[in-house]
Amino acid sequence: MKKLTLLLITLLQFTLIYAEKYSVKKDNAFYQVSYESKAYPGDAEFVRMTVSPVKKSGKNQLKDTKASLTLYLNQKKIISSDFYLLEEKDSSSITMLTGLPLSTWWDQEDGWSLKITCSLYGKTEETLELPFTLMHKDFISETLYLDEKNTSIKTDSSSRRQKDIEKLNAILAQINTQSLWQKKAFTFPVTSKRRTAFFADRRIYKYNTGGSTTGLHHGIDYGIPEGTDVFACGRGKVLLAEDRVSTGYSVVIEHLPGLYSLYYHLSRLDVKEGDFIEQGEKIGLSGCTGLATGPHLHWEVRLLMQSVNPDFFLRDFTYSQE
């Protein structure tokens, strides 16, 4: 009953989109900004910005323009990211995009603000202040009892597992500004909507040996039979497709600079590293490999290395329809 209640709350929160359009004229440029003024912990904050010069000229006045987005709490810098170019219309305007992950551990609702710093033509700096509110969200707490096999995997300290972790972290740390593969909403990775675990569940892992550890569930689990088709949630490049100690047969797909989707515990891989795939293309079959208490798909999304709510990306998070 508790999980059903949290699912209904999640679906309600998913329908509440606080999109804002912000237009302002500064000394050197016009700015049109689309963003969400309210968000939940664990979501992402994406900002789309179009910049146009105040005075037109024959040359490209916007060349070398750079911008960054910074989140503040009570005037203290918390996290920032650079904008990357989405579209350039000769010398008339450029459109840029960036995103920030919002930690599931943040619980203070007031005192937040967003600031855009734009360096025009590589020299003139202008700033834009954006109101922002972080709303309260409850997360599920649960205890998982691990058998001998899963206890062994969870406590594995082998060099192989360490290499798995290092390789994955190196991939997720990449921010390739040319990787503009998916500019619209994600789609579900499976046809089933049955969820057996939710994003950011607070977990206690009980070992069969008597010990325990705590952790965070970084994605969404779909309880589906082994051998169910799994599809790419968006267009992108496969950067990892291999058998890992803790997550079994796994796939990682790059979609935008610093934005990746992950698929764990598969029984078969139908893609290889370096492949370019389309949204909805089959990437493998679900399974029970790695640390798993039953057949399922673990679907995860990472932004700037941090896990973020996959549900957030099922809407037009890049404001592509504007």
PDB file of all heavy atoms in Angstrom, residues 81-86 97-98 170-183 236-239 253-260 276 302-305:
ATOM      1  N   SER A  81      26.954  24.533 -14.274  1.00  0.00           N
ATOM      2  CA  SER A  81      27.275  23.823 -15.516  1.00  0.00           C
ATOM      3  C   SER A  81      27.304  24.822 -16.662  1.00  0.00           C
ATOM      4  O   SER A  81      26.632  25.861 -16.618  1.00  0.00           O
ATOM      5  CB  SER A  81      26.254  22.717 -15.804  1.00  0.00           C
ATOM      6  OG  SER A  81      24.967  23.267 -16.012  1.00  0.00           O
ATOM      7  N   ASP A  82      28.075  24.504 -17.681  1.00  0.00           N
ATOM      8  CA  ASP A  82      28.202  25.375 -18.846  1.00  0.00           C
ATOM      9  C   ASP A  82      27.118  25.059 -19.875  1.00  0.00           C
ATOM     10  O   ASP A  82      26.727  23.901 -20.050  1.00  0.00           O
ATOM     11  CB  ASP A  82      29.574  25.199 -19.498  1.00  0.00           C
ATOM     12  CG  ASP A  82      30.697  25.713 -18.620  1.00  0.00           C
ATOM     13  OD1 ASP A  82      30.445  26.635 -17.817  1.00  0.00           O
ATOM     14  OD2 ASP A  82      31.821  25.178 -18.740  1.00  0.00           O
ATOM     15  N   PHE A  83      26.645  26.096 -20.549  1.00  0.00           N
ATOM     16  CA  PHE A  83      25.722  25.905 -21.666  1.00  0.00           C
ATOM     17  C   PHE A  83      26.489  25.349 -22.864  1.00  0.00           C
ATOM     18  O   PHE A  83      27.680  25.605 -23.036  1.00  0.00           O
ATOM     19  CB  PHE A  83      25.085  27.239 -22.065  1.00  0.00           C
ATOM     20  CG  PHE A  83      23.951  27.676 -21.179  1.00  0.00           C
ATOM     21  CD1 PHE A  83      24.209  28.351 -19.991  1.00  0.00           C
ATOM     22  CD2 PHE A  83      22.641  27.431 -21.539  1.00  0.00           C
ATOM     23  CE1 PHE A  83      23.167  28.775 -19.172  1.00  0.00           C
ATOM     24  CE2 PHE A  83      21.596  27.841 -20.736  1.00  0.00           C
ATOM     25  CZ  PHE A  83      21.853  28.513 -19.545  1.00  0.00           C
ATOM     26  N   TYR A  84      25.782  24.594 -23.697  1.00  0.00           N
ATOM     27  CA  TYR A  84      26.341  24.139 -24.965  1.00  0.00           C
ATOM     28  C   TYR A  84      25.411  24.548 -26.095  1.00  0.00           C
ATOM     29  O   TYR A  84      24.204  24.747 -25.905  1.00  0.00           O
ATOM     30  CB  TYR A  84      26.586  22.623 -24.971  1.00  0.00           C
ATOM     31  CG  TYR A  84      25.472  21.795 -24.387  1.00  0.00           C
ATOM     32  CD1 TYR A  84      24.405  21.365 -25.163  1.00  0.00           C
ATOM     33  CD2 TYR A  84      25.499  21.427 -23.042  1.00  0.00           C
ATOM     34  CE1 TYR A  84      23.389  20.587 -24.622  1.00  0.00           C
ATOM     35  CE2 TYR A  84      24.484  20.659 -22.490  1.00  0.00           C
ATOM     36  CZ  TYR A  84      23.438  20.243 -23.291  1.00  0.00           C
ATOM     37  OH  TYR A  84      22.426  19.490 -22.748  1.00  0.00           O
ATOM     38  N   LEU A  85      25.971  24.725 -27.264  1.00  0.00           N
ATOM     39  CA  LEU A  85      25.243  25.263 -28.413  1.00  0.00           C
ATOM     40  C   LEU A  85      24.299  24.225 -29.002  1.00  0.00           C
ATOM     41  O   LEU A  85      24.699  23.098 -29.310  1.00  0.00           O
ATOM     42  CB  LEU A  85      26.236  25.722 -29.485  1.00  0.00           C
ATOM     43  CG  LEU A  85      25.649  26.414 -30.717  1.00  0.00           C
ATOM     44  CD1 LEU A  85      25.023  27.752 -30.318  1.00  0.00           C
ATOM     45  CD2 LEU A  85      26.755  26.636 -31.764  1.00  0.00           C
ATOM     46  N   LEU A  86      23.016  24.615 -29.157  1.00  0.00           N
ATOM     47  CA  LEU A  86      22.037  23.761 -29.826  1.00  0.00           C
ATOM     48  C   LEU A  86      21.821  24.185 -31.268  1.00  0.00           C
ATOM     49  O   LEU A  86      21.699  23.355 -32.161  1.00  0.00           O
ATOM     50  CB  LEU A  86      20.684  23.831 -29.098  1.00  0.00           C
ATOM     51  CG  LEU A  86      20.478  23.004 -27.836  1.00  0.00           C
ATOM     52  CD1 LEU A  86      19.044  23.166 -27.355  1.00  0.00           C
ATOM     53  CD2 LEU A  86      20.791  21.534 -28.074  1.00  0.00           C
ATOM     54  N   LEU A  97      21.709  25.249 -24.352  1.00  0.00           N
ATOM     55  CA  LEU A  97      21.024  24.405 -23.374  1.00  0.00           C
ATOM     56  C   LEU A  97      22.019  23.940 -22.323  1.00  0.00           C
ATOM     57  O   LEU A  97      23.207  23.739 -22.605  1.00  0.00           O
ATOM     58  CB  LEU A  97      20.420  23.185 -24.073  1.00  0.00           C
ATOM     59  CG  LEU A  97      19.619  22.201 -23.208  1.00  0.00           C
ATOM     60  CD1 LEU A  97      18.259  22.801 -22.844  1.00  0.00           C
ATOM     61  CD2 LEU A  97      19.425  20.873 -23.947  1.00  0.00           C
ATOM     62  N   THR A  98      21.532  23.758 -21.109  1.00  0.00           N
ATOM     63  CA  THR A  98      22.331  23.103 -20.077  1.00  0.00           C
ATOM     64  C   THR A  98      21.390  22.533 -19.021  1.00  0.00           C
ATOM     65  O   THR A  98      20.201  22.871 -18.979  1.00  0.00           O
ATOM     66  CB  THR A  98      23.340  24.066 -19.422  1.00  0.00           C
ATOM     67  OG1 THR A  98      24.294  23.309 -18.677  1.00  0.00           O
ATOM     68  CG2 THR A  98      22.653  25.045 -18.481  1.00  0.00           C
ATOM     69  N   ALA A 170      34.502   6.961 -15.361  1.00  0.00           N
ATOM     70  CA  ALA A 170      35.214   7.696 -16.408  1.00  0.00           C
ATOM     71  C   ALA A 170      34.269   8.056 -17.555  1.00  0.00           C
ATOM     72  O   ALA A 170      34.361   9.146 -18.138  1.00  0.00           O
ATOM     73  CB  ALA A 170      36.390   6.871 -16.923  1.00  0.00           C
ATOM     74  N   ILE A 171      33.355   7.156 -17.868  1.00  0.00           N
ATOM     75  CA  ILE A 171      32.363   7.424 -18.914  1.00  0.00           C
ATOM     76  C   ILE A 171      31.408   8.520 -18.476  1.00  0.00           C
ATOM     77  O   ILE A 171      31.157   9.487 -19.206  1.00  0.00           O
ATOM     78  CB  ILE A 171      31.587   6.134 -19.261  1.00  0.00           C
ATOM     79  CG1 ILE A 171      32.502   5.147 -19.995  1.00  0.00           C
ATOM     80  CG2 ILE A 171      30.350   6.456 -20.111  1.00  0.00           C
ATOM     81  CD1 ILE A 171      31.888   3.782 -20.190  1.00  0.00           C
ATOM     82  N   LEU A 172      30.858   8.398 -17.273  1.00  0.00           N
ATOM     83  CA  LEU A 172      29.855   9.337 -16.794  1.00  0.00           C
ATOM     84  C   LEU A 172      30.427  10.734 -16.559  1.00  0.00           C
ATOM     85  O   LEU A 172      29.678  11.716 -16.524  1.00  0.00           O
ATOM     86  CB  LEU A 172      29.225   8.814 -15.499  1.00  0.00           C
ATOM     87  CG  LEU A 172      28.491   7.473 -15.607  1.00  0.00           C
ATOM     88  CD1 LEU A 172      27.947   7.059 -14.242  1.00  0.00           C
ATOM     89  CD2 LEU A 172      27.373   7.532 -16.636  1.00  0.00           C
ATOM     90  N   ALA A 173      31.738  10.825 -16.400  1.00  0.00           N
ATOM     91  CA  ALA A 173      32.387  12.124 -16.177  1.00  0.00           C
ATOM     92  C   ALA A 173      32.590  12.898 -17.477  1.00  0.00           C
ATOM     93  O   ALA A 173      32.889  14.097 -17.451  1.00  0.00           O
ATOM     94  CB  ALA A 173      33.730  11.928 -15.475  1.00  0.00           C
ATOM     95  N   GLN A 174      32.404  12.249 -18.617  1.00  0.00           N
ATOM     96  CA  GLN A 174      32.622  12.914 -19.902  1.00  0.00           C
ATOM     97  C   GLN A 174      31.502  13.906 -20.202  1.00  0.00           C
ATOM     98  O   GLN A 174      30.324  13.605 -20.012  1.00  0.00           O
ATOM     99  CB  GLN A 174      32.680  11.879 -21.031  1.00  0.00           C
ATOM    100  CG  GLN A 174      33.838  10.905 -20.950  1.00  0.00           C
ATOM    101  CD  GLN A 174      33.811   9.903 -22.086  1.00  0.00           C
ATOM    102  OE1 GLN A 174      33.461  10.231 -23.218  1.00  0.00           O
ATOM    103  NE2 GLN A 174      34.167   8.663 -21.786  1.00  0.00           N
ATOM    104  N   ILE A 175      31.878  15.091 -20.670  1.00  0.00           N
ATOM    105  CA  ILE A 175      30.917  16.099 -21.117  1.00  0.00           C
ATOM    106  C   ILE A 175      31.333  16.518 -22.525  1.00  0.00           C
ATOM    107  O   ILE A 175      32.121  17.458 -22.705  1.00  0.00           O
ATOM    108  CB  ILE A 175      30.874  17.308 -20.165  1.00  0.00           C
ATOM    109  CG1 ILE A 175      30.560  16.853 -18.735  1.00  0.00           C
ATOM    110  CG2 ILE A 175      29.832  18.318 -20.638  1.00  0.00           C
ATOM    111  CD1 ILE A 175      30.596  17.972 -17.722  1.00  0.00           C
ATOM    112  N   ASN A 176      30.837  15.807 -23.512  1.00  0.00           N
ATOM    113  CA  ASN A 176      31.182  16.053 -24.911  1.00  0.00           C
ATOM    114  C   ASN A 176      30.143  16.995 -25.515  1.00  0.00           C
ATOM    115  O   ASN A 176      29.004  16.593 -25.764  1.00  0.00           O
ATOM    116  CB  ASN A 176      31.225  14.739 -25.679  1.00  0.00           C
ATOM    117  CG  ASN A 176      31.661  14.921 -27.124  1.00  0.00           C
ATOM    118  OD1 ASN A 176      31.838  16.050 -27.592  1.00  0.00           O
ATOM    119  ND2 ASN A 176      31.826  13.821 -27.830  1.00  0.00           N
ATOM    120  N   THR A 177      30.506  18.263 -25.728  1.00  0.00           N
ATOM    121  CA  THR A 177      29.542  19.263 -26.187  1.00  0.00           C
ATOM    122  C   THR A 177      29.054  19.010 -27.616  1.00  0.00           C
ATOM    123  O   THR A 177      28.114  19.685 -28.075  1.00  0.00           O
ATOM    124  CB  THR A 177      30.144  20.672 -26.105  1.00  0.00           C
ATOM    125  OG1 THR A 177      31.348  20.729 -26.879  1.00  0.00           O
ATOM    126  CG2 THR A 177      30.449  21.041 -24.659  1.00  0.00           C
ATOM    127  N   GLN A 178      29.644  18.061 -28.314  1.00  0.00           N
ATOM    128  CA  GLN A 178      29.198  17.718 -29.667  1.00  0.00           C
ATOM    129  C   GLN A 178      28.172  16.592 -29.659  1.00  0.00           C
ATOM    130  O   GLN A 178      27.589  16.277 -30.696  1.00  0.00           O
ATOM    131  CB  GLN A 178      30.405  17.305 -30.520  1.00  0.00           C
ATOM    132  CG  GLN A 178      31.506  18.344 -30.608  1.00  0.00           C
ATOM    133  CD  GLN A 178      31.002  19.674 -31.121  1.00  0.00           C
ATOM    134  OE1 GLN A 178      30.342  19.745 -32.157  1.00  0.00           O
ATOM    135  NE2 GLN A 178      31.315  20.745 -30.397  1.00  0.00           N
ATOM    136  N   SER A 179      27.934  16.008 -28.493  1.00  0.00           N
ATOM    137  CA  SER A 179      27.020  14.861 -28.399  1.00  0.00           C
ATOM    138  C   SER A 179      25.590  15.336 -28.199  1.00  0.00           C
ATOM    139  O   SER A 179      25.055  15.333 -27.088  1.00  0.00           O
ATOM    140  CB  SER A 179      27.459  13.950 -27.251  1.00  0.00           C
ATOM    141  OG  SER A 179      28.756  13.447 -27.478  1.00  0.00           O
ATOM    142  N   LEU A 180      24.964  15.743 -29.290  1.00  0.00           N
ATOM    143  CA  LEU A 180      23.599  16.278 -29.242  1.00  0.00           C
ATOM    144  C   LEU A 180      22.653  15.288 -29.914  1.00  0.00           C
ATOM    145  O   LEU A 180      22.018  15.582 -30.932  1.00  0.00           O
ATOM    146  CB  LEU A 180      23.538  17.640 -29.934  1.00  0.00           C
ATOM    147  CG  LEU A 180      24.521  18.695 -29.420  1.00  0.00           C
ATOM    148  CD1 LEU A 180      24.441  19.956 -30.260  1.00  0.00           C
ATOM    149  CD2 LEU A 180      24.262  19.012 -27.958  1.00  0.00           C
ATOM    150  N   TRP A 181      22.535  14.118 -29.321  1.00  0.00           N
ATOM    151  CA  TRP A 181      21.808  13.032 -29.972  1.00  0.00           C
ATOM    152  C   TRP A 181      20.305  13.066 -29.702  1.00  0.00           C
ATOM    153  O   TRP A 181      19.513  12.746 -30.564  1.00  0.00           O
ATOM    154  CB  TRP A 181      22.369  11.684 -29.533  1.00  0.00           C
ATOM    155  CG  TRP A 181      23.863  11.596 -29.535  1.00  0.00           C
ATOM    156  CD1 TRP A 181      24.679  11.279 -28.491  1.00  0.00           C
ATOM    157  CD2 TRP A 181      24.754  11.823 -30.638  1.00  0.00           C
ATOM    158  NE1 TRP A 181      26.001  11.309 -28.853  1.00  0.00           N
ATOM    159  CE2 TRP A 181      26.083  11.639 -30.172  1.00  0.00           C
ATOM    160  CE3 TRP A 181      24.561  12.178 -31.978  1.00  0.00           C
ATOM    161  CZ2 TRP A 181      27.190  11.783 -30.991  1.00  0.00           C
ATOM    162  CZ3 TRP A 181      25.672  12.325 -32.804  1.00  0.00           C
ATOM    163  CH2 TRP A 181      26.961  12.130 -32.307  1.00  0.00           C
ATOM    164  N   GLN A 182      19.897  13.431 -28.495  1.00  0.00           N
ATOM    165  CA  GLN A 182      18.486  13.367 -28.108  1.00  0.00           C
ATOM    166  C   GLN A 182      18.022  14.728 -27.615  1.00  0.00           C
ATOM    167  O   GLN A 182      18.380  15.159 -26.518  1.00  0.00           O
ATOM    168  CB  GLN A 182      18.277  12.318 -27.018  1.00  0.00           C
ATOM    169  CG  GLN A 182      16.842  12.149 -26.553  1.00  0.00           C
ATOM    170  CD  GLN A 182      15.932  11.495 -27.584  1.00  0.00           C
ATOM    171  OE1 GLN A 182      16.409  10.861 -28.525  1.00  0.00           O
ATOM    172  NE2 GLN A 182      14.637  11.618 -27.409  1.00  0.00           N
ATOM    173  N   LYS A 183      17.183  15.408 -28.396  1.00  0.00           N
ATOM    174  CA  LYS A 183      16.743  16.756 -28.051  1.00  0.00           C
ATOM    175  C   LYS A 183      15.261  16.817 -27.699  1.00  0.00           C
ATOM    176  O   LYS A 183      14.687  17.902 -27.623  1.00  0.00           O
ATOM    177  CB  LYS A 183      17.041  17.720 -29.203  1.00  0.00           C
ATOM    178  CG  LYS A 183      18.513  17.789 -29.581  1.00  0.00           C
ATOM    179  CD  LYS A 183      18.730  18.736 -30.746  1.00  0.00           C
ATOM    180  CE  LYS A 183      20.178  18.741 -31.212  1.00  0.00           C
ATOM    181  NZ  LYS A 183      20.378  19.639 -32.381  1.00  0.00           N
ATOM    182  N   GLY A 236      21.191   7.872 -29.238  1.00  0.00           N
ATOM    183  CA  GLY A 236      22.497   8.136 -28.647  1.00  0.00           C
ATOM    184  C   GLY A 236      23.567   7.156 -29.060  1.00  0.00           C
ATOM    185  O   GLY A 236      23.387   6.348 -29.968  1.00  0.00           O
ATOM    186  N   LYS A 237      24.673   7.241 -28.352  1.00  0.00           N
ATOM    187  CA  LYS A 237      25.843   6.406 -28.633  1.00  0.00           C
ATOM    188  C   LYS A 237      26.090   5.480 -27.447  1.00  0.00           C
ATOM    189  O   LYS A 237      26.106   5.915 -26.293  1.00  0.00           O
ATOM    190  CB  LYS A 237      27.069   7.292 -28.863  1.00  0.00           C
ATOM    191  CG  LYS A 237      28.340   6.516 -29.224  1.00  0.00           C
ATOM    192  CD  LYS A 237      29.504   7.470 -29.476  1.00  0.00           C
ATOM    193  CE  LYS A 237      30.766   6.699 -29.858  1.00  0.00           C
ATOM    194  NZ  LYS A 237      31.907   7.618 -30.098  1.00  0.00           N
ATOM    195  N   VAL A 238      26.285   4.204 -27.747  1.00  0.00           N
ATOM    196  CA  VAL A 238      26.564   3.216 -26.705  1.00  0.00           C
ATOM    197  C   VAL A 238      28.021   3.355 -26.277  1.00  0.00           C
ATOM    198  O   VAL A 238      28.934   3.174 -27.078  1.00  0.00           O
ATOM    199  CB  VAL A 238      26.300   1.784 -27.215  1.00  0.00           C
ATOM    200  CG1 VAL A 238      26.663   0.760 -26.140  1.00  0.00           C
ATOM    201  CG2 VAL A 238      24.842   1.626 -27.633  1.00  0.00           C
ATOM    202  N   LEU A 239      28.232   3.671 -25.008  1.00  0.00           N
ATOM    203  CA  LEU A 239      29.590   3.831 -24.494  1.00  0.00           C
ATOM    204  C   LEU A 239      30.013   2.675 -23.591  1.00  0.00           C
ATOM    205  O   LEU A 239      31.188   2.540 -23.269  1.00  0.00           O
ATOM    206  CB  LEU A 239      29.724   5.149 -23.726  1.00  0.00           C
ATOM    207  CG  LEU A 239      29.530   6.426 -24.553  1.00  0.00           C
ATOM    208  CD1 LEU A 239      29.906   7.640 -23.720  1.00  0.00           C
ATOM    209  CD2 LEU A 239      30.348   6.392 -25.834  1.00  0.00           C
ATOM    210  N   ILE A 253      24.200   4.528 -22.442  1.00  0.00           N
ATOM    211  CA  ILE A 253      24.011   5.287 -23.677  1.00  0.00           C
ATOM    212  C   ILE A 253      24.170   6.778 -23.387  1.00  0.00           C
ATOM    213  O   ILE A 253      23.576   7.306 -22.437  1.00  0.00           O
ATOM    214  CB  ILE A 253      22.621   5.031 -24.294  1.00  0.00           C
ATOM    215  CG1 ILE A 253      22.426   3.536 -24.578  1.00  0.00           C
ATOM    216  CG2 ILE A 253      22.446   5.831 -25.585  1.00  0.00           C
ATOM    217  CD1 ILE A 253      21.014   3.174 -25.012  1.00  0.00           C
ATOM    218  N   GLU A 254      24.968   7.460 -24.211  1.00  0.00           N
ATOM    219  CA  GLU A 254      25.142   8.912 -24.119  1.00  0.00           C
ATOM    220  C   GLU A 254      24.082   9.594 -24.979  1.00  0.00           C
ATOM    221  O   GLU A 254      23.894   9.237 -26.145  1.00  0.00           O
ATOM    222  CB  GLU A 254      26.535   9.294 -24.606  1.00  0.00           C
ATOM    223  CG  GLU A 254      26.819  10.791 -24.595  1.00  0.00           C
ATOM    224  CD  GLU A 254      28.151  11.110 -25.253  1.00  0.00           C
ATOM    225  OE1 GLU A 254      28.457  10.494 -26.305  1.00  0.00           O
ATOM    226  OE2 GLU A 254      28.867  11.975 -24.733  1.00  0.00           O
ATOM    227  N   HIS A 255      23.370  10.601 -24.405  1.00  0.00           N
ATOM    228  CA  HIS A 255      22.295  11.288 -25.128  1.00  0.00           C
ATOM    229  C   HIS A 255      22.582  12.765 -25.382  1.00  0.00           C
ATOM    230  O   HIS A 255      22.280  13.290 -26.450  1.00  0.00           O
ATOM    231  CB  HIS A 255      20.987  11.167 -24.348  1.00  0.00           C
ATOM    232  CG  HIS A 255      20.549   9.762 -24.127  1.00  0.00           C
ATOM    233  ND1 HIS A 255      20.069   8.955 -25.148  1.00  0.00           N
ATOM    234  CD2 HIS A 255      20.523   9.003 -23.005  1.00  0.00           C
ATOM    235  CE1 HIS A 255      19.756   7.770 -24.660  1.00  0.00           C
ATOM    236  NE2 HIS A 255      20.035   7.765 -23.371  1.00  0.00           N
ATOM    237  N   LEU A 256      23.119  13.450 -24.386  1.00  0.00           N
ATOM    238  CA  LEU A 256      23.493  14.854 -24.467  1.00  0.00           C
ATOM    239  C   LEU A 256      24.768  15.027 -23.657  1.00  0.00           C
ATOM    240  O   LEU A 256      25.161  14.107 -22.921  1.00  0.00           O
ATOM    241  CB  LEU A 256      22.377  15.740 -23.887  1.00  0.00           C
ATOM    242  CG  LEU A 256      21.131  15.990 -24.746  1.00  0.00           C
ATOM    243  CD1 LEU A 256      20.064  16.707 -23.932  1.00  0.00           C
ATOM    244  CD2 LEU A 256      21.464  16.783 -26.002  1.00  0.00           C
ATOM    245  N   PRO A 257      25.437  16.163 -23.759  1.00  0.00           N
ATOM    246  CA  PRO A 257      26.652  16.354 -22.967  1.00  0.00           C
ATOM    247  C   PRO A 257      26.406  16.121 -21.479  1.00  0.00           C
ATOM    248  O   PRO A 257      25.630  16.826 -20.841  1.00  0.00           O
ATOM    249  CB  PRO A 257      27.011  17.824 -23.249  1.00  0.00           C
ATOM    250  CG  PRO A 257      26.452  18.082 -24.608  1.00  0.00           C
ATOM    251  CD  PRO A 257      25.176  17.302 -24.661  1.00  0.00           C
ATOM    252  N   GLY A 258      27.039  15.076 -20.930  1.00  0.00           N
ATOM    253  CA  GLY A 258      26.898  14.763 -19.516  1.00  0.00           C
ATOM    254  C   GLY A 258      25.639  14.023 -19.142  1.00  0.00           C
ATOM    255  O   GLY A 258      25.405  13.765 -17.953  1.00  0.00           O
ATOM    256  N   LEU A 259      24.793  13.640 -20.113  1.00  0.00           N
ATOM    257  CA  LEU A 259      23.523  12.966 -19.840  1.00  0.00           C
ATOM    258  C   LEU A 259      23.545  11.549 -20.405  1.00  0.00           C
ATOM    259  O   LEU A 259      23.741  11.358 -21.612  1.00  0.00           O
ATOM    260  CB  LEU A 259      22.363  13.751 -20.443  1.00  0.00           C
ATOM    261  CG  LEU A 259      20.971  13.158 -20.210  1.00  0.00           C
ATOM    262  CD1 LEU A 259      20.609  13.165 -18.726  1.00  0.00           C
ATOM    263  CD2 LEU A 259      19.918  13.919 -21.019  1.00  0.00           C
ATOM    264  N   TYR A 260      23.313  10.555 -19.527  1.00  0.00           N
ATOM    265  CA  TYR A 260      23.413   9.145 -19.895  1.00  0.00           C
ATOM    266  C   TYR A 260      22.235   8.354 -19.338  1.00  0.00           C
ATOM    267  O   TYR A 260      21.719   8.651 -18.262  1.00  0.00           O
ATOM    268  CB  TYR A 260      24.710   8.541 -19.332  1.00  0.00           C
ATOM    269  CG  TYR A 260      25.958   9.251 -19.789  1.00  0.00           C
ATOM    270  CD1 TYR A 260      26.423  10.382 -19.119  1.00  0.00           C
ATOM    271  CD2 TYR A 260      26.661   8.805 -20.903  1.00  0.00           C
ATOM    272  CE1 TYR A 260      27.560  11.039 -19.545  1.00  0.00           C
ATOM    273  CE2 TYR A 260      27.809   9.460 -21.329  1.00  0.00           C
ATOM    274  CZ  TYR A 260      28.247  10.580 -20.659  1.00  0.00           C
ATOM    275  OH  TYR A 260      29.378  11.239 -21.080  1.00  0.00           O
ATOM    276  N   PHE A 276      25.731   3.557 -32.676  1.00  0.00           N
ATOM    277  CA  PHE A 276      24.748   4.628 -32.601  1.00  0.00           C
ATOM    278  C   PHE A 276      23.371   4.007 -32.745  1.00  0.00           C
ATOM    279  O   PHE A 276      23.143   3.211 -33.665  1.00  0.00           O
ATOM    280  CB  PHE A 276      24.976   5.661 -33.708  1.00  0.00           C
ATOM    281  CG  PHE A 276      26.118   6.605 -33.422  1.00  0.00           C
ATOM    282  CD1 PHE A 276      27.397   6.288 -33.846  1.00  0.00           C
ATOM    283  CD2 PHE A 276      25.911   7.784 -32.731  1.00  0.00           C
ATOM    284  CE1 PHE A 276      28.459   7.144 -33.578  1.00  0.00           C
ATOM    285  CE2 PHE A 276      26.973   8.644 -32.464  1.00  0.00           C
ATOM    286  CZ  PHE A 276      28.245   8.322 -32.885  1.00  0.00           C
ATOM    287  N   ARG A 302      21.761   9.392 -15.501  1.00  0.00           N
ATOM    288  CA  ARG A 302      22.796  10.172 -14.816  1.00  0.00           C
ATOM    289  C   ARG A 302      23.027  11.486 -15.556  1.00  0.00           C
ATOM    290  O   ARG A 302      23.119  11.519 -16.784  1.00  0.00           O
ATOM    291  CB  ARG A 302      24.110   9.397 -14.769  1.00  0.00           C
ATOM    292  CG  ARG A 302      24.058   8.120 -13.957  1.00  0.00           C
ATOM    293  CD  ARG A 302      24.441   8.358 -12.522  1.00  0.00           C
ATOM    294  NE  ARG A 302      24.398   7.128 -11.729  1.00  0.00           N
ATOM    295  CZ  ARG A 302      25.010   6.967 -10.578  1.00  0.00           C
ATOM    296  NH1 ARG A 302      25.728   7.962 -10.061  1.00  0.00           N
ATOM    297  NH2 ARG A 302      24.932   5.834  -9.911  1.00  0.00           N
ATOM    298  N   LEU A 303      23.139  12.562 -14.777  1.00  0.00           N
ATOM    299  CA  LEU A 303      23.449  13.885 -15.302  1.00  0.00           C
ATOM    300  C   LEU A 303      24.624  14.440 -14.517  1.00  0.00           C
ATOM    301  O   LEU A 303      24.541  14.573 -13.282  1.00  0.00           O
ATOM    302  CB  LEU A 303      22.228  14.806 -15.190  1.00  0.00           C
ATOM    303  CG  LEU A 303      22.449  16.270 -15.592  1.00  0.00           C
ATOM    304  CD1 LEU A 303      22.852  16.398 -17.056  1.00  0.00           C
ATOM    305  CD2 LEU A 303      21.199  17.098 -15.295  1.00  0.00           C
ATOM    306  N   LEU A 304      25.706  14.760 -15.199  1.00  0.00           N
ATOM    307  CA  LEU A 304      26.930  15.229 -14.543  1.00  0.00           C
ATOM    308  C   LEU A 304      27.327  14.272 -13.422  1.00  0.00           C
ATOM    309  O   LEU A 304      27.678  14.682 -12.316  1.00  0.00           O
ATOM    310  CB  LEU A 304      26.746  16.648 -14.011  1.00  0.00           C
ATOM    311  CG  LEU A 304      26.322  17.707 -15.039  1.00  0.00           C
ATOM    312  CD1 LEU A 304      26.265  19.080 -14.391  1.00  0.00           C
ATOM    313  CD2 LEU A 304      27.241  17.722 -16.245  1.00  0.00           C
ATOM    314  N   MET A 305      27.194  12.979 -13.687  1.00  0.00           N
ATOM    315  CA  MET A 305      27.563  11.861 -12.820  1.00  0.00           C
ATOM    316  C   MET A 305      26.518  11.560 -11.744  1.00  0.00           C
ATOM    317  O   MET A 305      26.521  10.470 -11.180  1.00  0.00           O
ATOM    318  CB  MET A 305      28.929  12.068 -12.165  1.00  0.00           C
ATOM    319  CG  MET A 305      30.078  12.134 -13.153  1.00  0.00           C
ATOM    320  SD  MET A 305      31.695  12.031 -12.361  1.00  0.00           S
ATOM    321  CE  MET A 305      31.764  10.285 -11.899  1.00  0.00           C
TER     322      MET A 305
END
